[in-house]
Amino acid sequence: MSGARETTGPDALAAMFARARREGRAAFLPYFPIGYPTVADSLDAIEALARAGVDGFEIGMPFSDPLADGPTIQAATQVALENGVTVGRCLDAVAELHARGVRQPMLLMGYLNPLLAYGLERFARDARAAGAAGVIVPDLPPEEAGSLTEACAREGLAQIFFLAPTSSPERIALVAERAQGFIYLVSVTGVTGARDTLPPDLQAFIARVRAATSTPLVLGFGISRPEQVQQVRAWVDGFIVGSALVRAAAAGVEAVRDLALTLRHALDEA
């Protein structure tokens, strides 16, 4: 694999947030898994998202037991596994997307077991070579992340950690201390999935974290509609949309692009 990014992961993310701030908006980071509905379709969808003006990507690496994911993404990643998608194929996909001209930071999102099987040192090295900006591992808390953290540091990759509404002040302080690139805020105490409304205490949760760190905050889990984007855009530095885009993919790449454009335009509306 070839085509390393021009900047390191944390620097690429910092530049992404700085650009969004200059434009007076939050950054839009869609999630999309490699291999759904097919590998070729997933690459086309991500390329279409890039052309739609999103700011970065959470690139899903399929796993058989995705504990943080709701039914939409679980079903999609199961299809991807049946399509033969592996960690190595996901790394190849990032390299191919980079070769196609996708310059937005790409964060590889996956679970620990496949990375252990691949080898953490090897994974970090190959992720960097493919052009990834960082990694997101939902089932790896910071207290247990030492080996991957060291490997990512050597390769200039950002490692993203999570906070939830149930996070204690001690956990918030720990993640704030170790955060690179941004902190991933989980909007609900549950799994991913589009929701009709966001929790009423969400702003208070975000304020608690904001008081503890100047690191950018990115909100995920449950965002799917333009009005939700408009609701949270002043509270956080970025947001992630996953399930709604994956669901749209069943109708084709154009449906994914159209939803992304709708959400992106919501950032610019008064």
Side-chain angles (χ1 to χ4, degrees), residues 44-101:
D44 290 344
I46 293 167
E47 186 176 6
L49 288 167
R51 295 181 184 277
V54 306
D55 298 285
F57 289 99
E58 186 179 358
I59 304 292
M61 297 185 291
F63 179 49
S64 59
D65 188 22
L67 58 87
D69 294 312
T72 298
I73 293 176
Q74 284 187 27
T77 52
Q78 182 59 41
V79 170
L81 290 172
E82 293 167 0
N83 287 335
V85 173
T86 62
V87 170
R89 184 64 188 90
C90 292
L91 292 166
D92 290 340
V94 169
E96 182 173 341
L97 288 164
H98 199 265
R100 290 190 189 189

Side-chain angles (χ1 to χ4, degrees), residues 219-269:
L219 184 68
F221 289 43
I223 301 172
S224 63
R225 300 179 177 185
E227 58 268 27
Q228 292 170 334
V229 169
Q230 292 176 335
Q231 180 182 354
V232 306
R233 65 183 179 182
W235 300 349
V236 290
D237 302 281
F239 64 94
I240 292 170
V241 177
S243 295
L245 291 167
V246 172
R247 189 166 57 241
V253 171
E254 288 188 3
V256 175
R257 181 201 61 204
D258 290 347
L259 176 57
L261 286 170
T262 299
L263 297 172
R264 175 62 185 83
H265 291 160
L267 288 170
D268 299 323
E269 296 175 1

